[in-house]
Amino acid sequence: MVKVLEHYHLGENNYKIVFEVPELVKKAQPGQFVVLRISEEGERIPMSIGDMDPEKGSLTVIYQVIGKTTALMATLKPGEHIMDCVGPLGNPSHVDKKGKYMVIGGGIGIAPVHPAAKKARENGNEVFGIIGARTKDLLFFEDEMRKACDHLYVCTDDGSYGEKGFVTDVLKRLIDEGNKPDFILAIGPVPMMKAVCATSKPYDIETWVSVNPIMIDGTGMCGACRVSVGGITKFGCVDGPDFDGHLLDFDELTSRLRMYHQMEKESMEQFEKKQPCYIGLKESSKKSA
Ligand SMILES: Cc1cc2nc3c(=O)[nH]c(=O)nc-3n(C[C@H](O)[C@H](O)[C@H](O)COP(=O)(O)OP(=O)(O)OC[C@H]3O[C@@H](n4cnc5c(N)ncnc54)[C@H](O)[C@@H]3O)c2cc1C
Ligand code: FES
């Protein structure tokens, strides 16, 4: 059993949850993920590591309520327990010395770029961060990212905070101003990662992205998480989750993610009929992270 230490509603459907997992965080590295199971009969959900504190033994996950299991997770209160938290899984992100190292986080993808930015800076890089979201309420970790990066740029699609526009607009501007990065790590929705790769390719900037295919075991046995990279089949869980974005087949990833939509919708509808109370946490803990 794994104890919930903290749990906050961040805005819209976004939550920050902190688990007590002292042994796991001793080994965890930026870019890795965990697989959570809320209850014994519950499904396994992969979640990126948003932050970790080896001294406190705590691991932070930022998640979006999107279906049944994440809605169930949103009902948890500090002091309660989930069934298990397996990890760290997957390979760490490339955070070695590159020179001008850029992280780009879109939406919920701001969480996993945060530990990578911290580590890349510790490793002597000049770290540029771009974080973006649809609107102000969906932004989080701005203070944490300011500490982790040498330069931080914030944007929203609707202009409600920071610069108005997409993360790719900021990337293009920085390149035009002479701040061409030597390396980019971009994490966020698939269309965003695809757009970042399309922007960086003409400049020949090495660009890695973190994939989020359906994962079941997270250990390379079921094959659910397969993706194509440079025409070769790879498993997101054991070969990734980070891959060279200029080689990744984004269209295949998108269509594989849609495969279970009907079943996921039905499962959420049944959950909402049985347990409409997950809204309760949103109302009771409107405290910022
Ligand atoms: C390596 C990795 C890291 C991730 N990190 C985060 C994170 O930090 N924060 C966050 O909010 N989400 C993250 N996700 C996505 C998260 O796992 C899904 O949102 C979650 O599993 C949805 O479960 P559900 O029952 O609430 O929704 P469902 O209704 O079951 O599914 C809704 C959507 O979530 C995705 N999904 C569902 N099941 C899985 C699964 N087993 N594996 C992967 N995707 C699934 C699919 O796109 C699906 O259409 C990550 C996924 C991967 C693969
Ligand atoms: S999740 Fe089963 S092989 Fe990757």
Side-chain angles (χ1 to χ4, degrees), residues 133-238:
R134 219 170 358 95
T135 190
K136 184 178 179 224
D137 270 1
L138 292 171
L139 280 171
F140 55 88
F141 269 13
E142 183 185 348
D143 291 347
E144 287 84 346
M145 284 296 286
R146 282 207 189 279
K147 280 189 212 138
C149 302
D150 294 281
H151 318 273
L152 183 73
Y153 306 86
V154 184
C155 58
T156 48
D157 299 1
D158 63 2
S160 52
Y161 191 76
E163 294 179 41
K164 185 177 191 309
F166 298 130
V167 290
T168 42
D169 298 327
V170 183
L171 169 62
K172 184 89 179 45
R173 178 171 58 74
L174 289 174
I175 295 172
D176 292 345
E177 287 171 1
N179 279 314
K180 181 180 157 197
D182 297 298
F183 180 89
I184 299 175
L185 173 67
I187 310 183
V190 177
M192 181 218 100
M193 296 191 289
K194 188 178 173 184
V196 168
C197 292
T199 307
S200 66
K201 195 158 191 326
Y203 298 95
D204 203 20
I205 304 168
E206 186 178 0
T207 304
W208 284 62
V209 298
S210 179
V211 295
N212 58 342
I214 299 286
M215 289 189 184
I216 296 170
D217 60 300
T219 56
M221 288 189 286
C222 68
C225 65
R226 61 185 185 275
V227 291
S228 297
V229 184
I232 298 167
T233 298
K234 301 270 184 189
F235 287 173
C237 64
V238 287

Side-chain angles (χ1 to χ4, degrees), residues 40-62:
E40 201 167 353
E41 62 288 348
E43 70 171 346
R44 292 161 206 277
I45 54 165
M47 287 285 158
S48 307
I49 296 173
D51 206 357
M52 49 206 159
D53 186 335
E55 275 174 30
K56 288 189 191 151
S58 66
L59 172 114
T60 301
V61 165
I62 307 286

Side-chain angles (χ1 to χ4, degrees), residues 43 45-48 62-64 66-67 69-70 213 215 261 264:
E43 70 171 346
I45 54 165
M47 287 285 158
S48 307
I62 307 286
Y63 71 98
Q64 193 169 37
I66 193 171
T69 306
T70 43
M215 289 189 184
H261 267 191
E264 288 156 0

